Amino acid sequence: MARSNKERTEATRLALIEAARRLFVEKGYAETATPDIVAEAGVTRGALYHHFEDKRALFLATLEREAQAVAAQIETVSTASGTPCEALLSGAAAYFDAMAEPGRTRLLLLEAPAVLGFEAMGAIDRDNAEGTLKTGLSELLGPHVGAEKLQALTDLLSAAFDRAAIAIEAGADRKAYEAAIADLIDGLRA
Amino acid sequence: MARSNKERTEATRLALIEAARRLFVEKGYAETATPDIVAEAGVTRGALYHHFEDKRALFLATLEREAQAVAAQIETVSTASGTPCEALLSGAAAYFDAMAEPGRTRLLLLEAPAVLGFEAMGAIDRDNAEGTLKTGLSELLGPHVGAEKLQALTDLLSAAFDRAAIAIEAGADRKAYEAAIADLIDGLRA
DNA sequence: ATAGAAACGTGCAGACTGTATGTTTTTTCA
DNA sequence: TGAAAAAACATACAGTCTGCACGTTTCTAT
């Protein structure tokens, strides 16, 4: 059928990543075996180990794809208008919308830290949502907050967002968690 | 040497749990093999699988031990005097002290969620620190907050505590994170 | 058209998990 | 006290997985 090498590579990598995502979401990273992944993707283990250094590298690729999807989904809604407080709350809502995609909390918040470690997760956070959260907080707090405290508050609020996404995924009332987030943010603007 | 069965069991279980803790902290759950654990403990795999159903059960036992140690260490300092705000802050400080024990953040906050899942972690949290945090928050906020919002705020602050412990472990300035926590809590008492 | 590179396939070595089965030590009870 | 039963522990094995080495096919460049 004469596909170019670039097309072949792209198709194979995509099939592997999508198959891996399904299985990682369903069974977790540790319980997912590479024979299962390649069967689901319709390729062989040889192809997997040609395109990825090891199973962890395939997981990292699926994670990056997932994180990019979250960032893209958030940016489409992020008009960032209104008061700093409103901007932060609408950003939180956009984050919860994005994290409602099935499997996302498990991949990004449960499996990824254990597989990739704290540092790699911190790097992923910094590349994605943490920047906008930090600037939003900076506008809320004004210019007279130290960089160190701003970083700490950003980190803590980011953790709160993540935990809220987990709770919502687990069936908790989203409104209650959004209200709690609102209370936290509102309290900071003193 | 004539040890009773109870003594034998206790000694073997303890040796396994302590050896497992060392290796889980050093290499993580997935990268730690049962042959390594039993070698470190000075027993055989037969003993391990006699006392624990599988590797996961051994990890769960080490986790419970670790969580109990944290709870015990916190309770020794928890005089819980002063204003609700002060009580919460001293509780946070006690938590950070307890989490300063080497390996604790990795075991409780990195490995455990992936190995045991969100539900099991929520149960462990509820059995340990979440109760005192919830009552402390309840006193801070007064009696006219709904149970659902109180639960959400507790959950979010608990996540913030955890993230702060991780940041401190990674080398961040503890004072900055304690100040950020103080800001969050202080903002809630409006 | 052909050489070389890239993509892909197959088989293998080493390691690990969990279990089944055997052995030793302790406990029970007659 | 002396077996019998139970508990603790040891060993051997089957099944599976990972990563790599080495083939084979497909594409690319000249």
Side-chain angles (χ1 to χ4, degrees), chain B residues 149-174:
Chain B
K149 175 177 270 192
L150 179 61
Q151 170 60 37
L153 278 171
T154 303
D155 203 13
L156 265 41
L157 268 189
S158 172
F161 287 4
D162 290 348
R163 182 71 65 93
I166 292 169
I168 293 167
E169 159 85 19
D173 181 32
R174 172 167 168 171

Side-chain angles (χ1 to χ4, degrees), chain A residues 88-184:
Chain A
L88 281 169
L89 288 180
S90 71
Y95 179 67
F96 296 150
D97 285 339
M99 293 303 282
E101 181 77 19
R104 217 158 248 183
T105 55
R106 172 155 199 183
L107 284 179
L108 288 169
L109 304 180
L110 188 73
E111 304 283 340
V115 177
L116 304 178
F118 282 140
E119 297 105 85
M121 284 311 295
I124 289 180
D125 283 354
R126 267 182 289 285
D127 291 349
N128 294 354
E130 195 176 291
T132 60
L133 176 57
K134 199 169 189 174
T135 60
L137 259 183
S138 180
E139 291 198 22
L140 179 78
L141 300 171
H144 52 288
V145 283
E148 210 168 23
K149 175 177 269 192
L150 178 62
Q151 170 60 36
L153 278 171
T154 303
D155 203 13
L156 264 41
L157 269 189
S158 172
F161 287 3
D162 290 348
R163 183 71 65 94
I166 292 169
I168 293 167
E169 158 86 18
D173 181 31
R174 172 167 167 170
K175 292 294 179 197
Y177 275 84
E178 283 188 333
I181 291 272
D183 286 0
L184 281 179

Side-chain angles (χ1 to χ4, degrees), chain B residues 3-5 34-35 45 49:
Chain B
R3 293 182 300 172
S4 81
N5 268 349
T34 53
R45 276 169 36 86
Y49 280 92

Side-chain angles (χ1 to χ4, degrees), chain A residues 20 63 103 113:
Chain A
L63 247 290

Side-chain angles (χ1 to χ4, degrees), chain A residues 118-119, chain B residues 21 25 96-107 109-110 161-174 177:
Chain A
F118 282 140
E119 297 105 85
Chain B
R21 202 210 107 106
V25 166
F96 297 149
D97 284 339
M99 293 303 282
E101 181 77 18
R104 217 157 248 182
T105 55
R106 172 155 199 183
L107 284 179
L109 304 180
L110 187 72
F161 287 4
D162 290 348
R163 182 71 65 93
I166 292 169
I168 293 167
E169 159 85 19
D173 181 32
R174 172 167 168 171
Y177 275 85

